[in-house]
Amino acid sequence: VSLLDIHVDTPSSALNDDPLFEILEAGTGHGALTLHLARAIHAANPPLPKTPDYTVNVEEPEDAVYLGESISDLQETTIESWKPCRRAIVHTLDISSKHSKHAKKIVQGFRHGLYAGNVEFHVGDASAWIASQRVIRQTDEPFLNHVFLDLPNAEAHLANVAPALRVNGLLAVFNPSITQIAQCVEKIREEKLPYLLDQVVELGAGMIREWDVRAVRPRSTLKKPDARESPEASDAESIDPVKGQEARDGELAENLAKEEEKWAMVCRPKAGQMVVGGGFLALWRRMERIERPKSKEQSEDESS
């Protein structure tokens, strides 16, 4: 939550036309992060109105009735009428309905549900949920300020998250293995997705260690052939030196061509820091896609 740098303003009495501040958390789990996110955006929403006071008579049944409705029904009606006034929402999604129900109980049970109204619980796939939201909202405009993916296959959702994430919004990916973070880095590079990697950190017991994770093109390291090991040195009389040099030049050109297409992943911790346990968190910032100017040949091809 701290790395996402969430800061919201208390709503004023005047009408606010600013877009909603929305966060998607994919991978609800037990709801611990959900609760912290809900608390971080709490100031942006107006206070939840109180239900009418009702004194329960000991002789009456437990399900007391107030003007024809039970107290629980009144509370539910009050919350539903309050929801359109929210200026910030956490959408939390889990593939397991069991986990989602458990997390909902955790959030509702914390301080009598003080932050529960800030959260919408969903069950399903992250990419499918984003697609469904586009249909419901009837727009292709991005609507998410931040996205947090706590999923084993986070790289499979990166392309679908990008159009829904606002420019300068943060995408956070948490995985227990650094190789899973590396898969996301590689996916973004291969598909040229509009993300800029801010940082990769290792989380542990009270410590944070930063990692260097990036795709690089290694420099070609060419060894000069040793005269003692070179077959041309011992068989100089049987090999035409001109043809031999042409063969070596051709082999060298082929190797260089292969090296130009080769990429390697750098995954290493910054020196001088120690950590025990935890996992890895990567933060990308959503960048505006820059359209490269078309060449004269491309313009002529399109016009023809």
Side-chain angles (χ1 to χ4, degrees):
V1 175
S2 176
L3 291 173
L4 287 179
D5 191 27
I6 298 173
H7 47 86
V8 294
D9 295 327
T10 302
S12 61
S13 57
L15 294 176
N16 191 345
D17 295 332
D18 294 337
L20 288 175
F21 186 92
E22 299 183 73
I23 300 175
L24 171 62
E25 177 201 14
T28 306
H30 292 285
L33 177 62
T34 309
L35 184 57
H36 281 273
L37 290 171
R39 186 166 58 179
I41 67 169
H42 185 65
N45 291 328
L48 185 66
K50 295 182 178 180
T51 54
D53 294 332
Y54 183 80
T55 304
V56 179
N57 192 324
V58 292
E59 298 180 356
E60 294 180 352
E62 293 184 3
D63 189 14
V65 175
Y66 181 85
L67 297 179
E69 290 185 295
S70 66
I71 296 299
S72 58
D73 291 336
L74 283 174
Q75 292 173 343
E76 186 68 23
T77 303
T78 302
I79 292 175
E80 291 301 320
S81 62
W82 168 83
K83 282 184 176 182
C85 302
R86 292 179 298 181
R87 306 307 310 159
I89 304 173
V90 174
H91 301 281
T92 184
L93 181 81
D94 202 284
I95 199 68
S96 169
S97 59
K98 181 180 179 181
H99 290 170
S100 183
K101 290 178 181 178
H102 173 72
K104 190 173 184 178
K105 289 182 179 180
I106 295 294
V107 175
Q108 290 178 340
F110 182 78
R111 298 187 64 181
H112 304 286
L114 177 61
Y115 307 117
N118 305 327
V119 184
E120 292 292 331
F121 290 87
H122 310 275
V123 177
D125 175 79
S127 295
W129 181 84
I130 291 175
S132 66
Q133 286 295 304
R134 290 192 172 281
V135 175
I136 294 172
R137 297 167 189 250
Q138 298 181 351
T139 179
D140 291 332
E141 293 297 320
F143 58 93
L144 295 173
N145 293 79
H146 300 306
V147 175
F148 191 96
L149 301 180
D150 184 1
L151 304 170
N153 59 336
E155 72 279 359
H157 301 283
L158 299 180
N160 297 317
V161 167
L165 184 59
R166 292 192 176 105
V167 175
N168 285 326
L170 289 176
L171 165 67
V173 176
F174 177 81
N175 286 127
S177 171
I178 189 63
T179 56
Q180 293 172 294
I181 300 296
Q183 289 173 357
C184 293
V185 174
E186 188 69 10
K187 182 81 169 180
I188 291 171
R189 183 192 66 81
E190 289 178 352
E191 299 191 8
K192 296 181 174 59
L193 299 177
Y195 297 110
L196 178 64
L197 184 62
D198 269 10
Q199 60 180 325
V200 178
V201 297
E202 183 178 1
L203 307 178
M207 301 182 68
I208 295 179
R209 178 167 64 177
E210 190 170 0
W211 278 60
D212 183 15
V213 181
R214 53 196 167 91
V216 298
R217 275 182 176 165
R219 295 179 179 177
S220 301
T221 55
L222 302 175
K223 287 186 177 181
K224 294 183 178 181
D226 192 336
R228 292 172 296 180
E229 298 177 356
S230 176
E232 288 79 9
S234 58
D235 303 332
E237 296 179 357
S238 60
I239 298 178
D240 184 357
V242 176
K243 293 183 178 180
Q245 184 61 43
E246 290 177 354
R248 288 193 294 273
D249 290 345
E251 183 180 356
L252 178 60
E254 184 179 353
N255 289 337
L256 287 175
K258 292 179 179 179
E259 288 294 334
E260 288 179 358
E261 298 299 326
K262 183 179 179 181
W263 288 78
M265 291 299 304
V266 172
C267 303
R268 59 190 178 193
K270 301 277 178 88
Q273 302 180 32
M274 297 183 64
V275 72
V276 179
F280 297 89
L281 180 72
L283 281 175
W284 285 270
R285 190 172 296 277
R286 170 70 163 84
M287 303 299 293
E288 187 69 65
R289 188 185 296 275
I290 301 177
E291 297 293 340
R292 296 183 179 179
K294 297 179 181 179
S295 63
K296 184 178 180 181
E297 292 79 4
Q298 290 176 331
S299 300
E300 292 176 353
D301 292 341
E302 290 182 358
S303 61
S304 61

